Amino acid sequence: MKFFGIAAAPYAPDKFKEAVKVFGPVMHDLYGQTEILFPVLAKFSRDYLYANGTFDEEIVRSTGRAVPFAWMEIMDDDGKILPPGETGEIVVRSTIVMQGYYKRPKETKEVSKFGWHHTSDVGVKDARGFITIVDRKKDMIISGGFNVYPVEVETVILTHSAVLECTVIGVLSEKWGEEIKAVITLKDGAKATGEEFLASCKDKLGSIKAPKSVEFWPELPHSAVGKLLKKDIRAKFWEGQWRAV
């Protein structure tokens, strides 16, 4: 095997390292969107592996650096380009970005604000130019007035050896507005309890970001191309409610 590409959604660093140990240093991370013709971020084995075969942990967590034909930055809501280490929306400039959505001028204008293509992904860029995706802006959970990015919680859950896949969503709460729920699929034959995950997340993230509940599903829904359908999972818990946020 020469090349194993990963795309479509962020992954847990521990799972990535597991894959490298199984398949070898052929794992590569690629990032793009339907609105962009080719991937605009890339991470290769020469980026995340030192010469002695150990991992550069910071780079393992990242999605990669901008490819030569794209400019990638982190932007705040007011259109300001943020310095390394600050979190904001990932924006792109490139000749391969679409001209616009067909017959949807309002949406085109919104996604092209300040002269950059807006990805709706939240990320942070380091001093070396590597960008780490924190989450989707639309997936952010607001619980008790605090912003919680699901990927941060999912990353902790995925460190458990029994977990095959998981997602974290916000569900209706009369007290908090939204509360955090984890939906988990375990590996075949593996066993774990919800209490284990609640305690682990609380220990590593604090009580605000820790899930309030856990459900185990035999499998999670995916699209035809394998992308996890978080909106379908979320819809199950908001069905019949007068609001969806």
Side-chain angles (χ1 to χ4, degrees):
M1 185 176 290
K2 300 292 185 182
F3 189 98
F4 194 130
I6 304 173
Y11 49 75
D14 284 355
K15 299 300 182 188
F16 180 84
K17 290 190 287 186
E18 278 185 41
V20 172
K21 290 172 183 177
V22 171
F23 297 107
V26 296
M27 309 299 296
H28 304 290
D29 202 354
L30 303 168
Y31 171 89
Q33 291 186 325
T34 303
E35 293 90 342
I36 304 169
L37 185 59
F38 294 111
V40 286
L41 287 176
K43 180 177 72 185
F44 305 100
S45 56
R46 62 177 179 268
D47 297 322
Y48 62 79
L49 281 178
Y50 292 118
N52 64 3
T54 59
F55 291 97
D56 184 324
E57 298 292 343
E58 292 297 320
I59 304 306
V60 167
R61 284 195 290 272
S62 81
T63 301
R65 282 188 286 200
V67 296
F69 50 79
W71 291 264
M72 308 286 293
E73 296 290 352
I74 306 298
M75 182 179 286
D76 68 13
D77 291 338
D78 297 320
K80 176 185 175 183
I81 300 298
L82 299 173
E86 293 196 24
T87 302
E89 185 176 8
I90 300 170
V91 293
V92 187
R93 272 182 177 167
S94 177
T95 55
I96 61 169
V97 173
M98 67 168 189
Q99 291 184 344
Y101 296 114
Y102 182 62
K103 293 185 177 180
R104 293 169 62 187
K106 181 180 178 181
E107 289 85 349
T108 298
K109 183 179 179 181
E110 180 67 21
V111 81
S112 305
K113 289 187 301 184
F114 311 114
W116 292 78
H117 172 71
H118 292 249
T119 66
S120 292
D121 286 324
V122 178
V124 59
K125 187 177 184 180
D126 71 10
R128 291 181 283 180
F130 286 92
I131 292 177
T132 300
I133 297 174
V134 178
D135 219 323
R136 295 283 293 173
K137 288 185 75 173
K138 296 177 182 178
D139 288 340
M140 185 179 71
I141 301 166
I142 302 177
S143 182
F146 291 92
N147 295 344
V148 179
Y149 291 108
V151 164
E152 188 175 7
V153 186
E154 291 163 359
T155 298
V156 172
I157 294 172
L158 285 166
T159 60
H160 196 294
S161 60
V163 176
L164 176 66
E165 191 174 26
C166 79
T167 190
V168 169
I169 59 172
V171 298
L172 184 65
S173 168
E174 293 302 324
K175 182 177 181 180
W176 304 109
E178 287 182 284
E179 66 179 42
I180 302 164
K181 175 181 281 290
V183 183
I184 299 171
T185 296
L186 299 177
K187 295 177 182 176
D188 288 343
K191 294 182 179 180
T193 65
E195 288 73 19
E196 289 180 54
F197 296 108
L198 297 179
S200 175
C201 290
K202 190 172 183 180
D203 178 60
K204 295 177 180 177
L205 298 172
S207 58
I208 292 173
K209 294 182 179 180
K212 298 294 187 291
S213 59
V214 175
E215 279 196 18
F216 295 99
W217 289 15
E219 61 180 2
L220 302 183
H222 294 81
S223 70
V225 296
K227 182 175 285 190
L228 182 67
L229 296 174
K230 180 173 287 194
K231 62 180 178 58
D232 290 359
I233 299 170
R234 192 174 185 274
K236 176 184 181 298
F237 297 99
W238 289 83
E239 187 177 0
Q241 302 295 336
W242 65 272
R243 58 188 174 97
V245 65

